[in-house]
Amino acid sequence: MDPRVNYYGNGLAAKAMKHFGSVSKVLADSTLPAGIQSLVEIRASQINGCGFCTDMHTKEAAHAGETSIRLNLVAAWREATLFTEAERAALELAEQGTRVADAAGGVTDEAWANAAKHFDEDQLVALITLIAIINCYNRINIINQQPAGDYKVGQFG
């Protein structure tokens, strides 16, 4: 599989990605735990079918110390005993925020209230922004048919 265009080698894309990267840096520097951020990125990417982002975020999470069993169970988190209540709340919010076209009601009040039990306002803002930005990255890669499998840890800095 080849990408439709050399997106990551294109000058215009580089300018856009610089701004997206700035958002990602703000999120990385936030108080939302990095491990939760990784789980959210992985789950949204799985739902969207973005192989490139799933590849990237699972490799980065493993490099950061996440276990292979937890990575393998992200898609089945509801049936797995390995996730904390805060992680479950974040994964639920990520799923509902990603599946907006599938779920006519969008994010339920129940999912929001559960997330609000585990995260302060800044962390909730980071979580909302993270869900939005990973969905954006997913769509870029899906539209471009960006192939998965060759990502190297730290490839984008």
Side-chain angles (χ1 to χ4, degrees):
M1 173 192 263
D2 292 318
R4 289 179 166 147
V5 299
N6 181 8
Y7 191 88
Y8 293 103
N10 179 279
L12 179 61
K15 289 178 186 177
M17 288 295 112
K18 181 179 177 181
H19 294 287
F20 287 5
S22 295
V23 172
S24 295
K25 173 77 168 111
V26 168
L27 296 172
D29 292 343
S30 76
T31 60
L32 184 65
I36 288 179
Q37 291 189 44
S38 293
L39 295 175
V40 165
E41 290 166 331
I42 293 164
R43 188 64 191 123
S45 298
Q46 290 171 332
I47 291 166
N48 287 324
C50 182
F52 185 83
C53 286
T54 302
D55 179 36
M56 174 174 47
H57 294 297
T58 55
K59 287 176 179 173
E60 291 288 346
H63 181 73
E66 187 59 80
T67 67
S68 61
I69 190 71
R70 282 173 43 95
L71 291 173
N72 289 333
L73 288 172
V74 170
W77 64 268
R78 282 181 181 81
E79 290 79 31
T81 59
L82 303 173
F83 299 101
T84 68
E85 290 304 313
E87 290 169 336
R88 292 173 177 284
L91 288 165
E92 180 68 24
L93 196 66
E95 284 190 1
Q96 290 187 19
T98 297
R99 296 179 189 252
V100 292
D102 299 340
V107 174
T108 64
D109 290 339
E110 180 182 15
W112 181 259
N114 192 32
K117 283 192 267 184
H118 299 284
F119 304 105
D120 65 27
E121 187 171 289
D122 283 350
Q123 291 170 324
L124 289 167
V125 167
L127 197 50
I128 292 167
T129 307
L130 178 64
I131 294 164
I133 196 78
I134 192 58
N135 274 276
C136 182
Y137 281 123
N138 289 165
R139 278 145 180 80
I140 289 168
N141 290 318
I142 291 164
I143 293 166
N144 194 44
Q145 292 185 341
Q146 196 67 38
D150 294 331
Y151 178 81
K152 304 287 186 253
V153 171
Q155 181 174 322
F156 294 120

